[in-house]
Amino acid sequence: MIISSKTSEKLRDLINEETEYRSGPNLVKFFNALGFYHSYRQGFPSRWKYTDDCLEAINGTPKLDTCIKNLLTPVNFIGRIGELDGYLADFNQYLAFDKWKVVRNEAEITFKKLHKVELHENETNVPSLSESDFLSREFSGFSISDLGLEPNITDTLNKRLDEIEKTYNSGAYLSTILLAGSSLEGIFLGVASSNPRAFNTVKSSPKTGDGKVQQFHNWTLAAFIDVAKDLKLIQLDTYKFSHTLRDFRNYIHPYQQMSSGFTPREHTAKICLQVLKAVILEISQNVNNLPA
């Protein structure tokens, strides 16, 4: 199968974030299962570039078919088959222009060659996760106070939000990204501490070697984001871009920034600021639905 660059971009997004968030090491593991011999180390390219390069290398070979099958195999979506079918329908909107279609027959994923482009707009049932759609969302009327956190941490986070707005408006984009990332982690930690039962009992909560849930102060930001999504505290697009902010925040380490060649710009900072606003608004709307 040969796919166009547009279809490849969609496949990249499905691999990197949409079906599940895959960190750099997990992307290496995913593609090494297809016969690559990569390792994750200093100087590793951005996750987007790495996936694009791998897909370009296997495009037009049987490994691309295997890649798609591995990504969309139903066993990885137990309890979420409806979500899987949404991803399939969404991907098929792009694949149709290459005159191919991915078909799920119970637990089997196969491919169908099309004689003409077939478009079925009403098939897709997953929300759009495009960057432009996310950035166009309007957030108003949100407040840290609505999260129900302790007064001291609420006051601290409010001061950080004021500072983040100032750094963004002054063009200090790296400061915006780092402050947004640390504030996001503080919000999740505060909400988890106020709702320990909900966060400790969800399946995706991080465990120790003996199977016990880790103490909240040992959770990574990635773990908080995953659990918040599973608790339906945040929407799917917010979940996706929260992980993007988490990636950017890693550049708090100067050597990491230097080795990757990362240069923060206004667009990047805007995504991070938008993530923070989305998380505050969505959690404030949904936190009261958590079990006591």
Side-chain angles (χ1 to χ4, degrees):
M1 181 193 303
I2 299 176
I3 59 176
S4 66
S5 59
K6 195 72 175 177
T7 305
S8 184
E9 288 175 6
K10 179 61 179 177
L11 182 56
R12 175 200 64 199
D13 291 344
L14 285 166
I15 293 169
N16 282 18
E17 276 128 1
E18 293 184 18
T19 55
E20 68 175 82
Y21 175 82
R22 288 180 172 86
S23 63
N26 284 336
L27 284 174
V28 169
K29 183 178 179 181
F30 178 86
F31 283 106
N32 281 354
L34 299 172
F36 289 91
Y37 297 94
H38 297 157
S39 60
Y40 185 81
R41 56 178 179 264
Q42 187 173 2
F44 192 80
S46 71
R47 293 165 52 251
W48 293 273
K49 177 171 173 42
Y50 174 73
T51 302
D52 282 340
D53 289 345
C54 289
L55 290 177
E56 182 179 359
I58 63 175
N59 196 5
T61 75
K63 289 183 179 180
L64 179 64
D65 298 26
T66 304
C67 172
I68 296 171
K69 287 183 178 181
N70 289 352
L71 175 69
L72 300 173
T73 180
V75 73
N76 292 335
F77 293 86
I78 294 174
R80 300 185 296 136
I81 296 301
E83 187 176 329
L84 168 61
D85 287 341
Y87 290 129
L88 288 169
D90 196 24
F91 184 47
N92 278 331
Q93 297 293 305
Y94 294 80
L95 204 56
F97 288 93
D98 303 313
K99 295 185 179 179
W100 283 98
K101 183 177 183 179
V102 183
V103 180
R104 181 180 73 84
N105 183 13
E106 297 298 340
E108 184 182 9
I109 296 293
T110 59
F111 302 98
K112 177 183 177 182
K113 181 63 177 173
L114 304 178
H115 298 293
K116 62 180 181 178
V117 176
E118 295 180 3
L119 299 179
H120 305 284
E121 188 173 354
N122 62 341
E123 283 187 4
T124 180
N125 59 10
V126 295
S128 172
L129 296 171
S130 74
E131 189 175 282
S132 59
D133 285 342
F134 181 71
L135 289 174
S136 68
R137 288 177 60 187
E138 293 291 335
F139 299 104
S140 60
F142 65 89
S143 171
I144 291 289
S145 301
D146 296 333
L147 299 176
L149 307 181
E150 295 180 359
N152 288 341
I153 190 61
T154 296
D155 183 56
T156 298
L157 287 169
N158 273 323
K159 290 177 180 177
R160 280 182 171 239
L161 283 179
D162 289 341
E163 188 167 340
I164 290 169
E165 292 283 1
K166 292 176 182 176
T167 58
Y168 176 76
N169 292 330
S170 66
Y173 300 132
L174 181 59
S175 296
T176 301
I177 294 167
L178 301 183
L179 276 171
S182 61
S183 298
L184 183 67
E185 189 163 12
I187 289 169
F188 282 132
L189 178 57
V191 174
S193 299
S194 299
N195 301 273
R197 180 169 175 247
F199 276 75
N200 281 326
T201 55
V202 72
K203 185 178 179 181
S204 55
S205 59
K207 311 296 194 299
T208 60
D210 57 4
K212 295 181 180 179
V213 177
Q214 295 179 6
Q215 297 293 313
F216 290 142
H217 64 268
N218 290 325
W219 285 30
T220 63
L221 179 54
F224 277 124
I225 294 169
D226 290 344
V227 170
K229 186 260 293 184
D230 291 344
L231 289 172
K232 301 188 185 307
L233 287 173
I234 57 177
Q235 297 179 17
L236 196 58
D237 56 349
T238 303
Y239 162 77
K240 168 187 172 181
F241 289 105
S242 292
H243 273 301
T244 299
L245 170 52
R246 184 195 72 87
D247 273 350
F248 291 147
R249 193 200 61 159
N250 288 338
Y251 295 117
I252 192 172
H253 306 290
Y255 281 93
Q256 178 73 12
Q257 182 184 354
M258 178 187 68
S259 64
S260 65
F262 174 70
T263 301
R265 52 195 178 97
E266 181 179 3
H267 183 74
T268 307
K270 185 177 180 181
I271 292 174
C272 296
L273 186 57
Q274 191 81 332
V275 166
L276 196 58
K277 291 178 179 179
V279 167
I280 296 170
L281 178 62
E282 291 170 10
I283 290 182
S284 66
Q285 293 173 337
N286 298 316
V287 69
N288 291 331
N289 297 326
L290 294 178

